[in-house]
Amino acid sequence: MNKKIILSGMRPTGKLHLGHWVGALSNWVSLQETYQCFFMIADWHALMSEYKNSSAIKENIFDNICDWLAYGIDPKKATIFIQSDVTEHLELYIILSALTPLGWLYRCPTFKEQINQLKDKEINTYAFLGYPILQAADILLYKADYVPVGEDQLPHLELTREIVRRFHNIYQKGIFKEPQPLLTPMPRLVGLDGRKMSKSYNNYIALDEEDNQIKTKILSMFTDPLRIRISDPGHPQDCNVYSYYCTFFDELKTDVYEKCITAKRGCVECKEILAKKIIEIISTKREKKKKFLKKKELVYDILNDGRKEAKRVASLTIKEVKEIIGFNYF
Ligand code: TRP
Ligand code: SF4
């Protein structure tokens, strides 16, 4: 068994929505078939932006894990664990912190962006500056070959590779691998209002949304602004509803396009059909999730097994690293 290794993580900052499915989870589900996968709940990373409301993280973890399981992450195929359960992450984090120049962190585009975007969260903190170092530690502890991420995370991957090179130059070559990003094949899903799909904009469809909510939300989507009367031909390329068809129902997109530009179908009907199709995707998974939510013991067992496996691998790396830097005291 010489499978390539994958690690990825999600921050438990709220409910998961279709954007997470398109941007990460669907990819994870297929990757677990061919790679040795570690899927992590990044609760320390969540703390860095949610420290004022840190008690909500616990609930989010359980909720998110139940979504993962319902949507097909399989604990028999992948290792599912919570970052803070494996204390080695913090050990490697401090070791890597020692050799990472401040300039690399200040220069990181995500740092500046987030500070400006999340003003109310007051993340102009020491820990938030070091966010990418902890992420590097996550990846390097498991010697991941690939890291499935969205484009926004590419600077963190680049920084991880720079840290690897610096570690190798200072101590010893060949300890870590330079991880490569695996960009998600699906395009980014925009929110119901055309902005980025996000909890803070309240423009999302949750992975466990109830049927009537899905319908209400989809019927409220904006369509082609130039299509005023039902007899006006539409411009699907300017319509967010059409982009949802393209993302989720490739097989329908030609028909939707054709009916739109020839004004054979009105926008309300077009949205009703979309809602019905999305409901088909979500409803069975939502019911599956409800079962996991009730089976707390089962979920805890899965997390416990995941912790053991993650810890087994992480502790080997930490032992090796401590030896190399001369911290093998006894
Ligand atoms: N920073 C990532 C995000 O916000 C989450 C994350 C934490 C992560 N550790 C990771 C992703 C390690 C990939 C690998 O999406
Ligand atoms: Fe958009 Fe459908 Fe209306 Fe065309 S018919 S503008 S694709 S909602």
Side-chain angles (χ1 to χ4, degrees):
M1 204 188 76
N2 236 345
K3 288 185 183 173
K4 295 270 186 198
I5 299 169
I6 280 198
L7 177 127
S8 200
M10 251 187 230
R11 293 176 312 129
T13 54
K15 287 197 82 67
L16 299 187
H17 51 62
L18 283 180
H20 294 105
W21 169 246
V22 169
L25 212 47
S26 60
N27 199 23
W28 293 10
V29 169
S30 46
L31 292 170
Q32 67 184 350
E33 300 299 330
T34 26
Y35 295 95
Q36 185 188 350
C37 290
F38 293 88
F39 296 133
M40 176 187 81
I41 290 276
D43 57 343
W44 288 132
H45 280 111
L47 182 68
M48 292 176 186
S49 63
E50 310 301 311
Y51 61 90
K52 288 187 202 168
N53 188 22
S54 53
S55 56
I57 291 175
K58 179 177 173 180
E59 202 179 310
N60 292 335
I61 291 176
F62 190 67
D63 183 86
N64 292 177
I65 289 281
C66 290
D67 278 328
W68 289 11
L69 297 170
Y71 277 76
I73 300 290
D74 183 348
K76 290 197 194 72
K77 295 176 184 157
T79 302
I80 305 171
F81 69 101
I82 301 172
Q83 185 183 34
S84 71
D85 264 351
V86 181
T87 50
E88 283 78 0
H89 288 252
L90 296 181
E91 289 189 78
L92 189 56
Y93 169 60
I94 200 74
I95 294 168
L96 301 179
S97 295
L99 57 87
T100 305
L102 275 174
W104 293 6
L105 301 171
Y106 284 126
R107 225 185 294 131
C108 194
T110 50
F111 176 67
K112 292 176 239 168
E113 267 167 38
Q114 300 271 56
I115 295 246
N116 286 328
Q117 276 171 20
L118 307 175
K119 284 222 157 57
D120 54 320
K121 301 216 184 254
E122 295 185 87
I123 48 173
N124 203 349
T125 59
Y126 167 65
F128 193 72
L129 180 66
Y131 184 111
I133 309 185
L134 181 58
Q135 186 163 346
D138 298 338
I139 297 165
L140 299 179
L141 262 185
Y142 302 92
K143 305 199 173 179
D145 297 282
Y146 299 109
V147 184
V149 284
E151 248 175 68
D152 60 314
Q153 295 290 311
L154 290 180
H156 294 167
L157 265 254
E158 187 53 46
L159 202 84
T160 304
R161 287 194 296 272
E162 282 179 299
I163 291 175
V164 169
R165 292 194 282 269
R166 190 160 159 82
F167 187 96
H168 286 170
N169 279 332
I170 296 173
Y171 301 107
Q172 191 176 312
K173 303 243 177 304
I175 302 306
F176 293 120
K177 291 178 193 162
E178 287 190 31
Q180 299 301 320
L182 266 190
L183 283 177
T184 316
M186 286 220 240
R188 177 184 282 197
L189 186 70
V190 276
L192 297 168
D193 57 359
R195 293 187 289 176
K196 182 185 174 199
M197 186 174 271
S198 149
K199 183 178 53 131
S200 34
Y201 297 149
N202 194 22
N203 61 354
Y204 64 89
I205 296 177
L207 290 184
D208 63 355
E209 200 82 54
E210 293 294 337
D211 293 353
N212 55 358
Q213 277 296 316
I214 298 175
K215 198 164 170 194
T216 312
K217 287 186 172 182
I218 289 184
L219 285 178
S220 74
M221 284 173 79
F222 294 118
T223 62
D224 171 13
L226 295 177
R227 197 170 177 206
I228 296 153
R229 268 165 265 110
I230 200 166
S231 54
D232 295 339
H235 307 81
Q237 65 282 2
D238 301 326
C239 173
N240 199 12
V241 175
Y242 179 66
S243 81
Y244 273 59
Y245 276 107
C246 294
T247 304
F248 293 102
F249 311 107
D250 204 49
E251 70 284 5
L252 294 180
K253 86 178 188 208
T254 336
D255 184 51
V256 171
Y257 191 93
E258 164 63 27
K259 292 214 163 69
C260 179
I261 59 168
T262 54
K264 281 194 193 119
R265 182 186 277 156
C267 292
V268 175
E269 190 189 345
C270 187
K271 288 195 274 190
E272 276 169 353
I273 298 170
L274 178 66
K276 195 163 156 263
K277 299 291 292 182
I278 300 261
I279 287 172
E280 275 173 27
I281 299 184
I282 291 187
S283 62
T284 52
K285 312 247 176 31
R286 183 188 61 227
E287 298 313 308
K288 233 181 177 169
K289 178 187 183 182
K290 284 183 185 162
K291 289 192 185 141
F292 284 116
L293 284 171
K294 281 190 211 135
K295 291 190 203 161
K296 279 212 158 63
E297 298 301 320
L298 173 71
V299 177
Y300 291 152
D301 280 348
I302 289 171
L303 287 172
N304 201 25
D305 289 347
R307 177 183 58 78
K308 283 186 207 152
E309 173 58 12
K311 184 135 186 120
R312 184 186 69 76
V313 179
S315 61
L316 288 174
T317 306
I318 277 296
K319 190 162 181 287
E320 195 184 7
V321 170
K322 279 188 164 175
E323 226 158 86
I324 288 166
I325 67 167
F327 271 45
N328 52 337
Y329 301 143
F330 306 107

